[in-house]
Amino acid sequence: MSILNVLLNNDRLLVAVDTLAEDAYTRRHSARAKLLLIPQHNLVLASRGTAHFFLKIYELCLQASFLADFTVESLALEIGPTMDRLWPGYLEAAEAAGLPVHDLRTEIVLGGWSSRLGRMTATAYAKRASETPALIQPLIGGLASPGEPLRGRPDSFDPVEVFQAGVLQASYLNDKNGRQVAGGSLLVAHLRQREARINEWPFVQPGLVRKERKRPGSPPLAERQSLGCTSVRYHNFGCQCMSERDSQVPFQLRAINAEAVGELLGVAGRTVLETIACRPDFPVRVSMRPATWIAGEVLEWRGANRAGRRVRGAAGRGGRVPSAIRGG
C-alpha cells in the first residue's frame, strides 16, 4: 500500500508518491523510486502497487520514447494493452515464488506535456484480475489514492498542503493496516512546459521518521521530540516556537521571519527588511506583518547570489552584489 496523488491544470502537473517499500518475504523496509521521468519528452510515470511490474512498464515506455514519431498520446494508448499482455505472466511468476497473488494489484499514472494539445495531460491505469482488461481513465483535475483521508480538502499546488495531504494518507494507511506500509519520504514531481523538477520531503511525524546517523552536537531524539521536532534533521534558524502542525512540515517549506532569514544569510534581521528584501529578485513574502518568507526559496536565492558572483537582473549599484550579501 502506498500513496499516489496527481493534480493538474493546463499549465502544471504535480505527482506525489511515498518511497516506502516492503519486502514480500521478510517485510523489511527499503526506499524505492515509485516515480520516474522520461525527461526528453517532459513526462512522468508513477505507480502505486507492485514495484517490479511498474519498472517493467517504465522500461518499455522509455524504449518507446526513443522512436522518432513518439508522442504522449501514442504512449497513452499502448500502456493499457501492454499491462493486459504482461499481467498473467507476472502473476504466474509471483505464484511460483510463493507470493499471495490475490493481493497483487497496480495503479500507474502517465502524465506530462502534450505538444499536440498544448497543455498538460494525464491518464490513470489500474490492473488486478487477469480476466478483466486494465481500467483506463483520462484524468481531469487529478486523483488521490487513497482518497478517503482527503475528503473535504480543497485541491492545492501549495507545497505545504501537498505535504500535509501525504501525511494524512500515510497515517491513514498505517492505521488501517496496523503497521507501517506507507512513509519514508514524499517524492513530488512538478512539471511545466520545458520544465521538470523533483523534490524529496522526508515524513517527520511520529512513526514515519526516516532513520539517519546522529550528528555530533545535535540533541538526542527524545529531546527533539519533546521540542516538537521529530525530524532527524535539527534546525534552529530563529524560529522561536513550532506548533505540532508546524513540526510536520520540512524546514524548506516553513515560513520564517526576518531574523531567521538573517541567520541564513549572515546578516541582521534589520538588514533583511531594509535592504535585501527590497531587491526585485528576492523571494516574495508569504505575509507582510510579520514579514515571512519560504525557507527553501531563501536558500535557493542564497545559492544563486554568493559573494563574488554577479546577480541576475537588477543588482546593486554598478551591477555588483550588495555588501550585505558579501558579509561586509
Side-chain angles (χ1 to χ4, degrees), residues 114-269:
S114 170
S115 298
R116 184 176 67 85
L117 299 176
R119 61 177 175 86
M120 287 292 175
T121 64
T123 306
Y125 308 84
K127 183 69 176 178
R128 183 173 184 178
S130 297
E131 60 275 8
T132 305
L135 177 64
I136 304 174
Q137 178 64 55
L139 298 181
I140 301 176
L143 67 80
S145 188
E148 293 86 349
L150 302 186
R151 288 176 180 170
R153 288 179 62 93
D155 295 336
S156 175
F157 284 97
D158 182 84
V160 174
E161 295 296 329
V162 171
F163 181 76
Q164 290 178 346
V167 170
L168 291 174
Q169 290 171 300
S171 299
Y172 169 82
L173 289 172
N174 295 336
D175 291 342
K176 181 179 178 180
N177 289 271
R179 56 189 176 88
Q180 186 175 358
V181 295
S185 295
L186 194 69
L187 284 183
V188 183
H190 310 259
L191 273 67
R192 294 177 182 266
Q193 185 181 14
R194 299 187 183 90
E195 179 184 348
R197 173 169 51 91
I198 294 181
N199 294 106
E200 180 203 13
W201 301 329
F203 285 108
V204 294
Q205 81 273 31
L208 296 177
V209 178
R210 186 175 61 177
K211 296 181 180 179
E212 297 179 3
R213 293 182 180 178
K214 181 178 179 296
R215 297 179 180 178
S218 65
L221 180 59
E223 181 180 345
R224 283 178 292 183
Q225 290 176 335
S226 67
L227 293 172
C229 180
T230 57
S231 170
V232 174
R233 293 180 173 85
Y234 179 70
H235 302 283
N236 182 18
F237 292 127
C239 299
Q240 299 292 326
C241 60
M242 294 184 295
S243 67
E244 183 178 355
R245 177 185 177 91
D246 292 332
S247 69
Q248 296 179 354
V249 180
F251 175 75
Q252 288 83 353
L253 303 183
R254 293 180 188 166
I256 58 175
N257 58 24
E259 293 298 327
V261 173
E263 291 195 33
L264 290 177
L265 302 181
V267 299

Side-chain angles (χ1 to χ4, degrees), residues 2 17-21 30-34 182-187 200 203 210:
S2 53
V17 298
D18 71 317
T19 62
L20 187 73
S30 61
R32 291 183 183 173
K34 306 174 187 178
S185 295
L186 194 69
L187 284 183
E200 180 203 13
F203 285 108
R210 186 175 61 177

Side-chain angles (χ1 to χ4, degrees), residues 33-45:
K34 306 174 187 178
L35 179 155
L36 296 167
L37 294 175
I38 303 178
Q40 74 273 29
H41 295 292
N42 203 13
L43 302 177
V44 61
L45 207 66

Side-chain angles (χ1 to χ4, degrees), residues 67-109:
L67 299 176
D69 58 349
F70 174 87
T71 64
V72 62
E73 288 81 12
S74 63
L75 182 61
L77 291 175
E78 291 294 331
I79 290 181
T82 301
M83 292 173 65
D84 292 334
R85 187 176 68 254
L86 297 179
W87 192 250
Y90 179 77
L91 291 183
E92 290 179 7
E95 188 172 13
L99 298 179
V101 295
H102 62 277
D103 290 336
L104 296 180
R105 67 192 68 185
T106 186
E107 298 174 23
I108 294 177
V109 167

